[in-house]
Each structure stands twice: as structure tokens, then as C-alpha cells.
Amino acid sequence: MKILVVCLGNICRSPLAEGVLRGKFEKYHIKGTIDSAGVINFHSGSPPDERAIRVAHENGVDISKQRARAFKKSDFEQYDLILTMDQDVQMELSRFTDSDKNREKVKLFLEYAESEGSLAVPDPYYGNLEGFRTVFEMIDLASENIATRITKLKT
Ligand code: 4NP
């Protein structure tokens, strides 16, 4: 299973999701590849936001080695599932392709996780550390659900 997680800048939400989901794959012994990307290339080559690195570290997840990159059209061929952090990102990705097959690969992260409540992981960039902690909790819970869902697919 190859999963790409996509947000706007690839420095806050999707790096957290990449790190957390990778940990869940290890926990449940799921074989697969997880990467993340952003729809803007403004931060390409940069490490995650230091607040995201800190909150991940508080929870035993190291995301400090990740580097931001922009989403590219070939990602549609490379990945089985493309999980977006909110509806704006999802709409942006649908502009990258005319193919229904490609569009079907794009799903909201929280929807795929069958999370209750909001379907968007809020952008913590302009907020404070507490906002990053809230986002981490949402991502952690959703990633647990995604990993168990994938485990069931395989049995
Ligand atoms: P992310 O957060 O999409 O969760 O990585 C953002 C990071 C940077 C910007 C916006 C959102 N920005 O506009 O630079």
C-alpha cells in the first residue's frame, strides 16, 4: 500500500501525518510506503515547522529528517491512495488531472479514517503550539483508524 498525504505547505499537517502513519504501519506490521507533499512549492526543501517537530517529538515521533516537496502529476501513478488534509487541498489536486481513475485515489484523510465530526484537519500554521497539539491528536486518532482499516482490507 503506497500512501501520499497532502496539505498546503508540507511543513505542518502532512509531515505529522506521514510520521504518525509510518509509526502505525510499523505497529501493525503493514508493508507500504508513506510520503507527503504540499500543493504549494514555497517551502520545498525545508524541514517541517519547528512547532510540528516539537509536538511530534513530545509524542515519540521523529519528523525532523523530512523535507518538504510539492505535489507532482506523477504522484497519481506512484501512489494507491492520496489523502488530503482538507477540502481546499482536495479541490486543488483534482485540477492536476482529467482522469477519473486518478481522482478516485484522492480522499479526505479524516473521511478515509471514518472520523467523527469535522472532515478537515485545521491548518495550525498561524496558531500556537496548542493548535499543533490538537492537530497531532486528530492525526494520531485518524491514523490508528486508517491502519486498522488497511489491516482489515488485507485479511
Ligand atoms: P501546512 O501548513 O499546509 O499544514 O503545511 C501551512 C504551512 C505554510 C503555509 C500555509 C499552511 N504558508 O502559507 O506558507
Side-chain angles (χ1 to χ4, degrees):
M1 179 67 120
K2 288 183 167 185
I3 300 181
L4 182 69
V5 198
V6 187
C7 65
L8 187 59
N10 193 210
I11 55 165
C12 301
R13 293 166 293 174
S14 60
L16 284 171
E18 177 187 335
V20 171
L21 209 46
R22 191 171 287 136
K24 303 290 183 194
F25 269 40
E26 281 169 22
K27 176 179 168 188
Y28 289 101
H29 308 290
I30 302 168
K31 286 204 182 74
T33 307
I34 298 159
D35 194 11
S36 64
V39 290
I40 57 171
N41 67 12
F42 187 70
H43 299 282
S44 288
S46 299
D49 186 288
E50 59 184 32
R51 296 165 295 176
I53 293 177
R54 179 169 159 185
V55 169
H57 182 75
E58 284 173 3
N59 289 278
V61 180
D62 181 10
I63 63 166
S64 65
K65 309 275 184 318
Q66 294 183 28
R67 295 296 177 265
R69 72 165 177 92
F71 181 85
K72 50 187 190 291
K73 216 172 170 185
S74 60
D75 287 326
F76 281 120
E77 323 310 326
Q78 289 295 313
Y79 293 90
D80 305 308
L81 187 60
I82 298 170
L83 297 176
T84 61
M85 287 290 143
D86 62 37
Q87 292 89 341
D88 290 345
V89 172
Q90 191 174 29
M91 275 204 311
E92 198 61 43
L93 289 195
S94 70
R95 289 173 31 183
F96 271 77
T97 180
D98 295 325
S99 146
D100 286 342
K101 186 169 158 275
N102 287 346
R103 284 205 181 115
E104 278 166 22
K105 290 186 176 182
V106 183
K107 303 199 190 310
L108 283 166
F109 185 78
L110 292 183
E111 196 167 41
Y112 191 77
E114 296 171 339
S115 298
E116 287 178 14
S118 165
L119 290 179
V121 178
D123 185 351
Y125 187 62
Y126 296 103
N128 57 22
L129 203 56
E130 243 358 90
F132 279 78
R133 291 199 177 102
T134 304
V135 159
F136 184 92
E137 289 307 320
M138 286 176 93
I139 288 173
D140 188 55
L141 198 63
S143 297
E144 183 74 26
N145 290 347
I146 289 169
T148 46
R149 179 173 175 170
I150 291 171
T151 304
K152 281 181 201 145
L153 279 181
K154 295 186 168 207
T155 54

